[in-house]
Amino acid sequence: MEQKGILMVLSGFSGAGKGTLIKELLKKYDHYALSVSMTTRSPREGEREGVEYFFTDREHFEETIRRDGLLEYASYCGNYYGTPRAYVEEQLAAGNNVILEIEIQGALKIKERFPESLLIFVTPPSGAELKARLERRGTESAEVIARRLSRAYEEAEGIEAYDYVVVNDSLDACVEELEQLVAAARRAPVRCGAWIREIREELKGFVKGEK
């Protein structure tokens, strides 16, 4: 049963460990590809074109929107962020599972346009652990941490829209759980349409005595 890859949306609270989880998943398995977003913001130190982001200007971004060249996009703090369509479709056609690391607003847009997409929400085991992880970073002020926790509270209102919740307590166990969920999702009827149509036609032939 040959299939296209799965369009997989990974969201979660800031501090849930999404980035580390994705890196481990890509390192351990070769059937995943990470989508690179396009943005109009300026590159930060160390960021590389086509690796962290595709950097562009507002005019080109808006032209890409008009050409329906983005799967989803949003404006945040005065800049556009979006998911280029061409790269994602190319990877899915090759059978790779494409990971989109985006927030809830973008995830819901993807699910609306692509009902067969797989939405997974990553969370620490508790709110207290989330707060502790943010504090352990040691890179943000108490004010910034408070804002991130406030944002997490808002995001928690949308978790029910996701297909699965994954608790990132043990990194290795979490990576394995993600792989198992994706493997199971590949067998869902909504993602096996071509094979289902093929076997129906074959059975139809038997019933009509054509085979």
Side-chain angles (χ1 to χ4, degrees):
M1 184 192 300
E2 292 187 5
Q3 289 179 295
K4 289 174 58 178
I6 290 179
L7 184 58
M8 175 180 167
V9 177
L10 210 63
S11 304
F13 306 128
S14 175
K18 301 183 297 297
T20 303
L21 190 55
I22 290 171
K23 285 179 183 176
E24 287 300 309
L25 196 63
L26 293 171
K27 185 164 62 175
K28 188 163 186 178
Y29 300 101
D30 60 5
H31 48 260
Y32 290 94
L34 178 62
S35 174
V36 179
S37 296
M38 179 188 292
T39 183
T40 57
R41 77 159 172 77
S42 300
R44 294 171 183 156
E45 185 176 351
E47 289 184 332
R48 298 152 293 173
E49 169 68 18
V51 179
E52 281 76 21
Y53 286 99
F54 293 114
F55 297 98
T56 189
D57 57 29
R58 180 171 290 269
E59 182 180 356
H60 179 260
F61 196 104
E62 291 178 347
E63 174 59 26
T64 305
I65 294 173
R66 286 192 289 272
R67 288 189 287 102
D68 196 28
L70 298 172
L71 297 183
E72 58 82 32
Y73 68 92
S75 180
Y76 179 73
C77 293
N79 287 302
Y80 280 126
Y81 295 81
T83 302
R85 176 187 293 275
Y87 174 80
V88 170
E89 291 183 341
E90 176 185 305
Q91 291 296 320
L92 291 175
N96 291 321
N97 304 309
V98 179
I99 305 169
L100 307 184
E101 185 187 352
I102 52 180
E103 41 68 50
I104 286 182
Q105 180 185 0
L108 296 182
K109 287 181 181 178
I110 290 291
K111 193 67 171 179
E112 184 178 335
R113 296 188 66 181
F114 304 93
E116 73 280 8
S117 60
L118 177 66
L119 271 57
I120 297 177
F121 195 89
V122 180
T123 176
S126 68
E129 175 60 19
L130 176 63
K131 183 173 183 290
R133 289 183 186 183
L134 291 171
E135 290 171 342
R136 281 198 298 269
R137 284 178 174 177
T139 58
E140 297 168 337
S141 66
E143 182 182 353
V144 170
I145 291 174
R147 284 204 301 268
R148 292 196 183 280
L149 290 172
S150 177
R151 175 62 179 162
Y153 172 71
E154 294 171 3
E155 290 173 331
E157 293 298 315
I159 294 176
E160 287 87 352
Y162 286 72
D163 297 303
Y164 297 104
V165 173
V166 171
V167 177
N168 187 10
D169 195 7
S170 162
L171 180 61
D172 290 341
C174 195
V175 168
E176 285 307 307
E177 184 176 358
L178 277 176
E179 168 64 9
Q180 290 168 13
L181 289 175
V182 172
R186 291 179 73 91
R187 295 294 177 258
V190 69
R191 301 181 184 93
C192 300
W195 179 84
I196 291 171
R197 289 189 293 273
E198 182 180 325
I199 200 168
R200 277 180 180 155
E201 285 303 309
E202 188 179 6
L203 292 171
K204 181 180 176 182
F206 292 143
V207 170
K208 292 188 173 182
E210 298 170 356
K211 295 184 181 181

